[in-house]
mmCIF file of all heavy atoms in Angstrom:
data_model
loop_
_atom_site.group_PDB
_atom_site.id
_atom_site.type_symbol
_atom_site.label_atom_id
_atom_site.label_comp_id
_atom_site.label_asym_id
_atom_site.label_seq_id
_atom_site.Cartn_x
_atom_site.Cartn_y
_atom_site.Cartn_z
ATOM 1 N N PRO A 13 -9.034 31.952 6.262
ATOM 2 C CA PRO A 13 -8.373 33.175 6.651
ATOM 3 C C PRO A 13 -7.220 32.948 7.615
ATOM 4 O O PRO A 13 -7.213 31.977 8.366
ATOM 5 C CB PRO A 13 -9.477 33.982 7.348
ATOM 6 C CG PRO A 13 -10.441 32.937 7.832
ATOM 7 C CD PRO A 13 -10.408 31.847 6.801
ATOM 8 N N LEU A 16 -4.751 37.034 12.959
ATOM 9 C CA LEU A 16 -4.085 38.367 13.090
ATOM 10 C C LEU A 16 -2.624 38.139 13.514
ATOM 11 O O LEU A 16 -2.319 37.298 14.314
ATOM 12 C CB LEU A 16 -4.796 39.183 14.159
ATOM 13 C CG LEU A 16 -6.104 39.872 13.759
ATOM 14 C CD1 LEU A 16 -6.746 40.516 14.970
ATOM 15 C CD2 LEU A 16 -5.848 40.899 12.684
ATOM 16 N N GLY A 34 -2.851 63.023 5.887
ATOM 17 C CA GLY A 34 -3.686 63.751 4.958
ATOM 18 C C GLY A 34 -4.765 64.540 5.661
ATOM 19 O O GLY A 34 -5.013 65.722 5.322
ATOM 20 N N LEU A 37 -3.207 67.685 7.175
ATOM 21 C CA LEU A 37 -2.950 68.742 6.210
ATOM 22 C C LEU A 37 -4.191 69.587 5.992
ATOM 23 O O LEU A 37 -4.131 70.819 5.966
ATOM 24 C CB LEU A 37 -2.466 68.152 4.905
ATOM 25 C CG LEU A 37 -1.053 67.525 4.890
ATOM 26 C CD1 LEU A 37 -0.815 66.825 3.562
ATOM 27 C CD2 LEU A 37 -0.006 68.614 5.105
ATOM 28 N N PRO A 47 -12.469 83.125 5.503
ATOM 29 C CA PRO A 47 -13.612 83.119 4.611
ATOM 30 C C PRO A 47 -13.549 84.279 3.624
ATOM 31 O O PRO A 47 -13.226 85.408 3.994
ATOM 32 C CB PRO A 47 -14.797 83.267 5.582
ATOM 33 C CG PRO A 47 -14.312 82.732 6.890
ATOM 34 C CD PRO A 47 -12.848 83.123 6.919
ATOM 35 N N GLY A 54 -8.564 79.416 -2.248
ATOM 36 C CA GLY A 54 -9.269 78.319 -2.800
ATOM 37 C C GLY A 54 -8.358 77.342 -3.516
ATOM 38 O O GLY A 54 -8.548 76.092 -3.419
ATOM 39 N N ILE A 59 -5.487 72.008 -3.632
ATOM 40 C CA ILE A 59 -4.243 71.235 -3.642
ATOM 41 C C ILE A 59 -4.160 70.312 -2.416
ATOM 42 O O ILE A 59 -3.820 69.133 -2.532
ATOM 43 C CB ILE A 59 -3.021 72.178 -3.723
ATOM 44 C CG1 ILE A 59 -3.003 72.893 -5.080
ATOM 45 C CG2 ILE A 59 -1.728 71.381 -3.493
ATOM 46 C CD1 ILE A 59 -1.938 73.959 -5.159
ATOM 47 N N ALA A 72 -6.094 53.123 2.096
ATOM 48 C CA ALA A 72 -7.106 52.107 1.789
ATOM 49 C C ALA A 72 -6.444 50.909 1.083
ATOM 50 O O ALA A 72 -6.823 49.758 1.343
ATOM 51 C CB ALA A 72 -8.178 52.718 0.891
ATOM 52 N N LEU A 74 -3.320 49.821 1.485
ATOM 53 C CA LEU A 74 -2.614 49.053 2.505
ATOM 54 C C LEU A 74 -3.564 48.232 3.338
ATOM 55 O O LEU A 74 -3.301 47.061 3.648
ATOM 56 C CB LEU A 74 -1.792 50.008 3.388
ATOM 57 C CG LEU A 74 -0.539 50.619 2.781
ATOM 58 C CD1 LEU A 74 0.064 51.650 3.757
ATOM 59 C CD2 LEU A 74 0.494 49.550 2.473
ATOM 60 N N ARG A 91 -14.470 47.187 1.045
ATOM 61 C CA ARG A 91 -15.497 47.765 1.889
ATOM 62 C C ARG A 91 -15.053 47.764 3.335
ATOM 63 O O ARG A 91 -15.249 48.753 4.082
ATOM 64 C CB ARG A 91 -16.801 46.993 1.744
ATOM 65 C CG ARG A 91 -17.941 47.470 2.636
ATOM 66 C CD ARG A 91 -19.180 46.622 2.496
ATOM 67 N NE ARG A 91 -19.761 46.756 1.159
ATOM 68 C CZ ARG A 91 -20.862 46.151 0.792
ATOM 69 N NH1 ARG A 91 -21.515 45.363 1.646
ATOM 70 N NH2 ARG A 91 -21.338 46.294 -0.443
ATOM 71 N N LEU A 97 -10.991 52.840 7.787
ATOM 72 C CA LEU A 97 -10.536 54.212 7.664
ATOM 73 C C LEU A 97 -11.492 55.202 8.355
ATOM 74 O O LEU A 97 -11.075 56.115 9.050
ATOM 75 C CB LEU A 97 -10.406 54.587 6.198
ATOM 76 C CG LEU A 97 -9.112 54.210 5.471
ATOM 77 C CD1 LEU A 97 -9.166 54.635 4.028
ATOM 78 C CD2 LEU A 97 -7.910 54.817 6.168
ATOM 79 N N ILE A 105 -9.174 61.704 15.283
ATOM 80 C CA ILE A 105 -9.478 63.152 15.414
ATOM 81 C C ILE A 105 -9.927 63.453 16.832
ATOM 82 O O ILE A 105 -9.570 64.478 17.424
ATOM 83 C CB ILE A 105 -10.541 63.556 14.387
ATOM 84 C CG1 ILE A 105 -9.979 63.475 12.961
ATOM 85 C CG2 ILE A 105 -11.054 64.969 14.650
ATOM 86 C CD1 ILE A 105 -10.992 63.697 11.862
ATOM 87 N N LEU A 111 -4.999 65.561 23.058
ATOM 88 C CA LEU A 111 -3.574 65.686 23.275
ATOM 89 C C LEU A 111 -3.149 67.146 23.141
ATOM 90 O O LEU A 111 -3.646 67.881 22.304
ATOM 91 C CB LEU A 111 -2.786 64.833 22.276
ATOM 92 C CG LEU A 111 -2.910 63.313 22.506
ATOM 93 C CD1 LEU A 111 -2.123 62.571 21.429
ATOM 94 C CD2 LEU A 111 -2.409 62.927 23.888
ATOM 95 N N PRO A 143 -13.609 39.719 13.324
ATOM 96 C CA PRO A 143 -14.631 39.888 14.376
ATOM 97 C C PRO A 143 -14.904 38.580 15.111
ATOM 98 O O PRO A 143 -15.340 37.593 14.549
ATOM 99 C CB PRO A 143 -15.865 40.325 13.561
ATOM 100 C CG PRO A 143 -15.690 39.740 12.223
ATOM 101 C CD PRO A 143 -14.185 39.745 11.965
ATOM 102 N N THR A 152 -11.829 46.477 23.024
ATOM 103 C CA THR A 152 -12.521 47.294 24.011
ATOM 104 C C THR A 152 -11.571 47.666 25.154
ATOM 105 O O THR A 152 -11.519 48.832 25.579
ATOM 106 C CB THR A 152 -13.732 46.557 24.563
ATOM 107 O OG1 THR A 152 -14.653 46.257 23.500
ATOM 108 C CG2 THR A 152 -14.467 47.417 25.610
ATOM 109 N N SER A 173 7.136 69.997 28.296
ATOM 110 C CA SER A 173 7.413 71.050 27.277
ATOM 111 C C SER A 173 7.751 72.355 27.964
ATOM 112 O O SER A 173 8.681 73.065 27.545
ATOM 113 C CB SER A 173 6.230 71.194 26.359
ATOM 114 O OG SER A 173 5.956 70.021 25.666
ATOM 115 N N GLN A 198 -4.581 86.445 16.933
ATOM 116 C CA GLN A 198 -4.060 85.153 17.345
ATOM 117 C C GLN A 198 -2.597 85.329 17.672
ATOM 118 O O GLN A 198 -1.789 85.701 16.813
ATOM 119 C CB GLN A 198 -4.226 84.137 16.184
ATOM 120 C CG GLN A 198 -5.672 83.927 15.771
ATOM 121 C CD GLN A 198 -5.784 82.983 14.561
ATOM 122 O OE1 GLN A 198 -4.778 82.490 14.065
ATOM 123 N NE2 GLN A 198 -7.007 82.809 14.095
ATOM 124 N N LEU A 211 6.067 88.197 21.482
ATOM 125 C CA LEU A 211 5.392 87.393 20.450
ATOM 126 C C LEU A 211 4.649 88.332 19.525
ATOM 127 O O LEU A 211 4.367 89.474 19.825
ATOM 128 C CB LEU A 211 4.444 86.390 21.121
ATOM 129 C CG LEU A 211 3.427 86.935 22.155
ATOM 130 C CD1 LEU A 211 2.194 87.522 21.512
ATOM 131 C CD2 LEU A 211 3.002 85.807 23.088
ATOM 132 N N TYR A 214 -1.266 87.863 15.147
ATOM 133 C CA TYR A 214 -1.730 87.633 13.769
ATOM 134 C C TYR A 214 -3.224 87.915 13.672
ATOM 135 O O TYR A 214 -4.027 87.457 14.482
ATOM 136 C CB TYR A 214 -1.413 86.182 13.400
ATOM 137 C CG TYR A 214 -1.882 85.735 12.040
ATOM 138 C CD1 TYR A 214 -1.115 85.975 10.906
ATOM 139 C CD2 TYR A 214 -3.109 85.049 11.901
ATOM 140 C CE1 TYR A 214 -1.516 85.530 9.662
ATOM 141 C CE2 TYR A 214 -3.509 84.622 10.654
ATOM 142 C CZ TYR A 214 -2.702 84.871 9.551
ATOM 143 O OH TYR A 214 -3.126 84.417 8.295
ATOM 144 N N SER A 231 8.885 92.578 29.641
ATOM 145 C CA SER A 231 10.288 92.714 30.082
ATOM 146 C C SER A 231 10.313 92.886 31.601
ATOM 147 O O SER A 231 9.298 93.026 32.257
ATOM 148 C CB SER A 231 10.923 93.959 29.404
ATOM 149 O OG SER A 231 10.729 93.954 28.015
ATOM 150 N N ARG A 232 11.552 92.884 32.128
ATOM 151 C CA ARG A 232 11.709 93.140 33.551
ATOM 152 C C ARG A 232 11.195 94.511 33.887
ATOM 153 O O ARG A 232 11.221 95.416 33.080
ATOM 154 C CB ARG A 232 13.182 93.014 33.928
ATOM 155 C CG ARG A 232 13.772 91.597 33.764
ATOM 156 C CD ARG A 232 15.230 91.577 34.166
ATOM 157 N NE ARG A 232 15.860 90.288 33.913
ATOM 158 C CZ ARG A 232 15.822 89.280 34.767
ATOM 159 N NH1 ARG A 232 15.222 89.436 35.934
ATOM 160 N NH2 ARG A 232 16.423 88.113 34.473
ATOM 161 N N GLU A 248 5.710 100.441 6.051
ATOM 162 C CA GLU A 248 5.709 101.680 6.815
ATOM 163 C C GLU A 248 6.850 101.751 7.837
ATOM 164 O O GLU A 248 7.395 102.804 8.080
ATOM 165 C CB GLU A 248 4.366 101.798 7.561
ATOM 166 C CG GLU A 248 3.153 101.870 6.645
ATOM 167 C CD GLU A 248 1.865 101.683 7.391
ATOM 168 O OE1 GLU A 248 1.868 100.911 8.352
ATOM 169 O OE2 GLU A 248 0.858 102.297 7.021
ATOM 170 N N ASP A 254 14.353 94.719 1.960
ATOM 171 C CA ASP A 254 15.133 93.605 1.409
ATOM 172 C C ASP A 254 15.631 92.665 2.530
ATOM 173 O O ASP A 254 15.689 91.467 2.323
ATOM 174 C CB ASP A 254 16.309 94.139 0.600
ATOM 175 C CG ASP A 254 15.825 94.874 -0.647
ATOM 176 O OD1 ASP A 254 14.680 94.667 -1.043
ATOM 177 O OD2 ASP A 254 16.629 95.664 -1.202
ATOM 178 N N GLN A 260 8.118 89.805 10.013
ATOM 179 C CA GLN A 260 9.230 89.529 10.934
ATOM 180 C C GLN A 260 9.245 90.600 12.001
ATOM 181 O O GLN A 260 9.002 91.781 11.779
ATOM 182 C CB GLN A 260 10.538 89.526 10.170
ATOM 183 C CG GLN A 260 11.782 89.287 11.030
ATOM 184 C CD GLN A 260 13.035 89.255 10.176
ATOM 185 O OE1 GLN A 260 13.047 88.612 9.120
ATOM 186 N NE2 GLN A 260 14.084 89.920 10.634
ATOM 187 N N ALA A 266 11.584 104.148 19.833
ATOM 188 C CA ALA A 266 10.352 104.943 20.023
ATOM 189 C C ALA A 266 10.732 106.403 19.983
ATOM 190 O O ALA A 266 11.347 106.951 20.890
ATOM 191 C CB ALA A 266 9.711 104.579 21.354
ATOM 192 N N GLY A 281 6.585 105.744 16.664
ATOM 193 C CA GLY A 281 7.835 105.683 15.920
ATOM 194 C C GLY A 281 7.522 105.555 14.442
ATOM 195 O O GLY A 281 6.392 105.790 14.002
ATOM 196 N N ASP A 307 -6.937 100.128 17.975
ATOM 197 C CA ASP A 307 -7.210 99.181 19.052
ATOM 198 C C ASP A 307 -6.928 99.840 20.390
ATOM 199 O O ASP A 307 -6.040 100.678 20.528
ATOM 200 C CB ASP A 307 -6.314 97.929 18.896
ATOM 201 C CG ASP A 307 -6.722 97.063 17.739
ATOM 202 O OD1 ASP A 307 -7.642 97.452 17.004
ATOM 203 O OD2 ASP A 307 -6.114 95.983 17.551
ATOM 204 N N PRO A 310 -4.421 100.340 26.064
ATOM 205 C CA PRO A 310 -4.452 100.272 27.542
ATOM 206 C C PRO A 310 -5.331 99.147 28.050
ATOM 207 O O PRO A 310 -4.965 98.448 29.029
ATOM 208 C CB PRO A 310 -4.940 101.653 27.952
ATOM 209 C CG PRO A 310 -4.578 102.564 26.784
ATOM 210 C CD PRO A 310 -4.723 101.713 25.577
ATOM 211 N N SER A 335 13.016 65.331 26.327
ATOM 212 C CA SER A 335 11.600 65.313 26.636
ATOM 213 C C SER A 335 10.729 65.198 25.402
ATOM 214 O O SER A 335 9.566 64.793 25.470
ATOM 215 C CB SER A 335 11.209 66.545 27.442
ATOM 216 O OG SER A 335 11.341 67.718 26.662
#
Side-chain angles (χ1 to χ4, degrees):
L16 281 173
L37 289 172
I59 292 174
L74 286 174
R91 177 182 295 182
L97 276 179
I105 293 173
L111 290 179
T152 301
S173 298
Q198 300 175 3
L211 52 82
Y214 177 84
S231 309
R232 295 180 184 273
E248 298 167 326
D254 293 341
Q260 179 178 316
D307 288 4
S335 65

